[in-house]
Amino acid sequence: MRTRSNSGVRLDYYQRVVHKLILDHQQPVTGLFQASPHNDHAWIRDNLYCILAVWGLSMAFKKIADQDEDRAKTYELEQSCVKLMRGLLMAMMQQKDKVEKFKSTQHPLDSLHAKYSSRTGQTVVKDTEWGHLQIDAISLYLLILAQMTASGLQIVFSLDEVAFIQNLVFYIESAYCTPDYGIWERGDKTNHGLPELNASSIGMAKAALEAMNELDLFGARGGPSSVIHVLADEAQKCQAVLQSMLPRESNSKELDSGLLSIISYPAFAVDDPQLITKTRETIVNKLQGKYGCKRFLRDGHKTPREDPNRLYYEPWELRMFENIECEWPLFFCYLILDYCFQGDKNNVTDYMQRLEKIMIRKDDGIKLVPELYSVPGDRADQEKLEPGSQERIPLGRCPFIWGQSLYILGKLLQEGFLAVGELDPLNRRLCSEKKPDVVVQIVILAEDNEIRDKLLEHDLHVQTISEVAPIEVQPARVLSHLYTYLGRNKKLGLSGRKSRDVGILSTSKLYSLNERIFAFTPQNFDYEEYYMTRDPALLASTFTANVAFLGMSWKQMLGRPTITLLATQYLLDQGKIPMAMITTMKKLKSGYINGTRVTLGNLGEFLSTSAITNLSFLGSQEDGYPDKLNPQVHSYLEEHLLKSFSTKFSFLSRPTGLKNAKMLRRRMSVRGAIKKTRSINVDSETLGMEGENVGPHLEKKASWLEMDPLFGRSPSPELAKKKAITKGTSTTNLGVLTPTIEITKETTPPPTQPRKSEAVVKNAPLRNRTISESQNLLYAEQETDELIAMLRETENLDEQGDILQYLVDTHGLEFSTGMLENGKAVTVKDLLKALYEKACTQKLWGLVRHTAGMLGKRVEDLAKAVTDLLVRQKQITVGMPPNNEQTITAPLPENELRQLIHVAYGDDESTAMLTQELLVYLAMFIRTEPQLFLEMLRLRVGLIIQVMATELSRTLSCDGEEASEHLLNLSPFEMKNLLHHILSGKEFAINSAGRGNISIVSNKSTRYTKKSQIILEGQALQGTIDEAPIAEPDRQGQWLRRRRLDGALNRVPRDFYPRVWGVLEKCQGLVIQGKLLQQNLTQEMTSGELKFALAVETVLNSIPQPEYRQLVVEALMVLTLVVEYKAVNQLGGMITVEHLVHKANQIFLEDQMRCNGDATLCCAAGACGGALVCGGAAGVCQHLYDSAPSGSYGTMTYLARAVAALLADRMPHDSPIECAIT
C-alpha cells in the first residue's frame, strides 16, 4: 500500500470532520438534515448550505484520487449531495398544487413551505402558522441544483421532474415584485408577519434564473426535452430592481448582512463592481463587530432585552435593541469566501484569524462555529453606551452547520484543495467583469412592395416579409402564447407559464422549431393593441430606447441581439413615410445610435451571428411523439401566419343629403358632449388646491368656482366635471347655458331653447342621471335615427365623437344602430372603433384618447409599468387632488388597475387614458434615467397632469380650459417630452403649429422670440414684449414655478428624511397641516429606513398646494440645520411647522414695507387690513414664493429668522445664549 501524500492526509482529516458534523446527521430515508437534536424540522435554506461542504469535499477528492478508496469516497460524498437535493425535490413535489396556484396568485398562503419534516419530508406546520413565502430559499435550491448539475452530478431523473423544476422557475419569475418573508423568515423587522420586498430574495432569484437558463438537467446525456428555458427579461427585471435597492435590504431594513450572499458567493447577482464594493463596505462599517456581523440594525433576536414569551415586537421597543444586537460569526464565513473569490489572500487570512478566535473547541479538537454571540444581560447597558466594549457569550446552536459548512469551504479554498472555478462551474463569478460592447443587429422589413419602394426613395434597401422566407416573422404575442406550453404536465397537473409578458430581450433572439425559424417583432410595437404606436415620433424614440436598453442588458447570452421591425401601412402619414422614421433609419446606417453600436442588414445575413433558441418544448412529449409538433400549437401557428394588418371600415361612409335645418338644430344639442367629461383643473387660482379661500377672483368668467357657496370647493367629481360646460369657450357652443341649469339639474329649462338644453342637462352628470328614465324614453326613439343620419352626414370627427358620446350615455355601447354591415347589425361600439381608427389616422390625439377610454382599451403593459415604479420604491397616486387621490402601494393586476384609475377620475375618460399613458412614460424614464427620480418617494399623477396643464397655460398664455384642451391634444411623443421636461425641471418653450400640433423645445436662453403675455396666478402681467425688456416677464415667477414643480413631484433635498429624523429626536413632535409626526417614530424606525420616509411624506402630502408644501420642506431644512450645528440641546415641545412659514411671511412683509418692495402692491399694502390680495396659496404672499432661497431677501433668511423667534420664546431667558461665529 502506497503511503498517503500530505494533501491526502489533510483531506482525510476534513472528511472525518464533515462526517462527524454533517453527514452523521443526514436522515437515511429522506436525505434531509434536522435543525438540531431537539427539532426535527428541515429548512430548505439551511439544508442547502449544509451540503455545500460535502459537495466541495467530493470535488477535492476527485482531484487527488491516488487510491481506489478516494474514488469511492468521492462517489459516496457526491451521492450524499444527490440524496439531499432529491429529498428536497420530493418534499416540494408533494406540494405541486401550491406551485400551480402561486403562479397566478402570488399569495403568501399559496407558497411552498419553507421547512419540512426531516424524517418524512411531509409538512410540519400549517400554511398560516409560519412565514413560508421565502423566494430566496427556492431560488437557492435552483441555483445549487444548476451548479451541481453543471459539475457533473445527476440529480433530476425523469421528464416529470424536469417539468416541475421548470414550474419552479415560473414560481420565482415574479420575485422582483413579490414581497416575501426573506432570509430571516420575518418580513418586516417588527416581526408582525408583514412580508416585504427583500433585495436578498430578488438577488437570489436573479442568480437562479440566469443559472437555470438553457440548462440541461440530464447533463451531458440529455436531449432537447430536458432543457430548462428562462425568459431573459425576467432575470433582467430582478437585476434592475436589485440595482435600485442596494445597499438597502427592504422598507424596514436599511441594511442586512444577508446581502453578502448576493454580492458574492453563492449568487454573484450584482454586475456593477462599484455597487458590490459599496454594499460590502456599508455592511462592514455599520454591522461588523468583533464576533461577526449583526443581521440588521435593531435586530432583537436573542438579545437580553427581548421578551422570549412572544414572537413579535412592539414598534416602540425596537429602540431598546440598538447597539446590543447579536453578532453572527456566519458572516465572517461569507466574507472569507468573498475574498477567496476575489483572490485577496491578505483579507482571507485576516478574517480567518478573526473567525478562528471566536470558534469553540470541542474535546476532540474540532473547532465549531457557534450560531451567534449575545451580550450578557448584566452588561447590556454598558454595551449600549460604548458599543463593542463588552465580552459576549455564544448562544444558539453549536455547531451552526450553515456557518460550519461555509467555514470548511473557506478552508478548502484557502489551502488550495479547491479552485474557485470548481465551486462555480457556471462561472457566475465573472458577471461583474467588463464585457466587449454589444452590437445590436437591426432588420427592417416592409409589409409589401409598395412600402419597400417608398423606403427605396430614401435610399433604404429593405426586404419584404415574403422575401425573407423561410424565416417567418410574427408579432410578440405569438411568442408569448407559445411560451404558455412550456412546463405543462398533465400527470402533475401543471399548466405552464402564466405570465403573458415577453420583453425586448426575448424578442431579440431568433427561435428554431423543427425546421422552421421564427423572428418576432418587439412587444411594444404590437399595432393592434394600442394608440401610442400610432405616433411615429414616439415609435422612433421608443425604438432608440430599446436599442440602448439592449446594449446595456444583453449579457450571458451567446450571439448578438436582433431587433426585427415591420414597416406597415399603419405607419404611413397621408401616404408618406414620416420624417421621424426616416431620420432614425438613416442614423442606423451610420453604425451608432445614441452611443450604442448597431448594424443594419437582412435577416438571412444575421442567422450565423444571432442568438437562436430552440423551442423544443412544443413537441408532444407527453403523448410519446417528442419530434412532432403539439397539435394545438400547430393549428395556432397555421391561423397566425401574418394576416394583413389593415382592416377597412365602411359604415361611416355618408350618403350626400341635404343638411336640413332640423339637423342643424339637433346637432347643437350634443355639441361638446366629450368636453363635458373633462376634469383637469387648471384654474390658476386653484391649482389642485382646496385649502383656504383664495381671495377675490380677478377675472370674472362664468367660473365653476361660483357655484353654490354651500359646496365650498367642488366637493364631488360630478360637479368638477361640469365646470367644462359652464365655462363655455369658443370651441363649444355652450355659452348659451346658464350656470343655474347645471347645478339644479331638476329646474325646467328656459322656454327659448327647449330641446337643446334638455339634452345637455341630461348628459351632464354622465352616469349619475337624475332625470327620470321615462322622460328619456320620450326623446330616445325619435332622436336616435336623426342622430345616426347626422353621424353619416358630418365630415367632422369631433362632431361624430360628440354624437357617439351622447349615444353611449343614453343607450350604452352595445346599442344596435339599425345599420347593417355584411349582414351583421352595427353597434355603437363598432362605430366608436371606426372613429378611433380614423382619429388615429388623422392624428387627432384628444379624440383618440377619449375614444380609447370609452372602448376600455388598455395601455400596453400598464400593470408592468406600475410594477416597475413600485418595485423601485416609488408609490403612485392617481386621481385629482385633493379629494379623489387613490394610492397604489402594491402591484395590482391589469383589470383592477384600470378599474381603480377610471373610478379615480369619475367619467373623465380622456384623463383616465392620459394617466395610463403617463404611467407608461414614467416607467420608461425610471428604467432608463433613474436619476430623474432621486429623492421622490411618491408620484402623484393627478398633480403632475395639473402641473403639465399649468405649464402649458403659462407658456401659451391661455386660460385653463384651453390649456387642458391643448394638453389632451398633444401627440404621445410631445406628451412624453413635456413630462420629461417637467421631471428634469428644464425650462422649455413651445412652438405651436396649427391645431394641436405643439412641439416642445428645450429652452437654452431665457429669450422668447414670440410675443408672450404670461398670466401669473390670475394677474395678467400685461404689456407685451415690444414695450418691456425681453427677459422680464419670464424671470418673474421663476422660483414660484420651481417650487410648484418640486412640490407637485414631491421632490425633497438630499438626505431630507434622515435629517427630519434628527429633528424629531430633539422635540416632542412636528405638526403639519394638523397631522402629527410623533417622536416615538424614532423609537420604532432607524433614520435611513424607507418606512420612516414614507411616514413623513404622507404627512407632507396632506398639504394640497405644491408651492406651500415646498416652503414647509424648506422650513424643516432650517430646523435640521439648527439640530445639526447643535445650536440648542432641545427644541422643546411640539413644533407646528406652518407657524414658521407664516411667521417668515410676516417678517417678509414687514421688510417689504420698510424697503418699499414689490409686495407693497399686494399683501404688504393690505397688511394693515390683514386682507390677502395676491391670492398666494395658504395665505402666504406670492412674492415670498417667488423669492430665491438664498440671499439677504431669500426665503431661507426669513425662515431662519422665524426659527430664531420660535427658539427665543422657548429658551429659558436667564441662561446666556452662546453665539459661535462660524
Side-chain angles (χ1 to χ4, degrees), residues 1140-1154:
L1140 292 175
V1141 178
H1142 287 290
K1143 176 77 179 157
N1145 186 42
Q1146 185 192 330
I1147 303 174
F1148 168 73
L1149 292 180
E1150 286 163 12
D1151 269 14
Q1152 289 282 311
M1153 299 283 282
R1154 249 205 317 281

Side-chain angles (χ1 to χ4, degrees), residues 531-551:
Y531 67 82
M532 276 155 63
T533 50
R534 299 301 191 78
D535 179 9
L538 183 75
L539 271 184
S541 93
T542 309
F543 169 71
T544 43
N546 276 344
V547 172
F549 174 78
L550 277 175

Side-chain angles (χ1 to χ4, degrees), residues 1032 1036 1148-1149 1152-1153 1155-1165 1181 1183 1186:
E1032 220 11 67
Q1036 192 151 6
F1148 168 73
L1149 292 180
Q1152 289 282 311
M1153 299 283 282
C1155 65
N1156 197 12
D1158 287 351
T1160 47
L1161 302 174
C1162 56
C1163 307
C1181 179
H1183 292 284
D1186 204 18

Side-chain angles (χ1 to χ4, degrees), residues 311-324:
L311 272 175
Y312 63 92
Y313 307 126
E314 297 299 347
W316 46 264
E317 67 181 349
L318 286 172
R319 187 69 182 264
M320 304 190 313
F321 306 135
E322 199 158 299
N323 295 334
I324 59 164

Side-chain angles (χ1 to χ4, degrees), residues 154-201:
Q154 171 93 40
I155 293 166
V156 175
F157 290 175
S158 71
L159 285 176
D160 295 326
E161 288 172 12
V162 173
F164 181 75
I165 300 281
Q166 179 68 65
N167 278 277
L168 283 187
V169 168
F170 301 145
Y171 180 95
I172 64 167
E173 233 177 32
S174 54
Y176 72 99
C177 61
T178 311
D180 70 341
Y181 294 100
I183 185 170
W184 310 124
E185 309 192 290
R186 322 196 128 196
D188 184 286
K189 73 176 171 204
T190 50
N191 215 6
H192 281 240
L194 305 167
E196 45 181 13
L197 213 51
N198 291 297
S200 52
S201 296

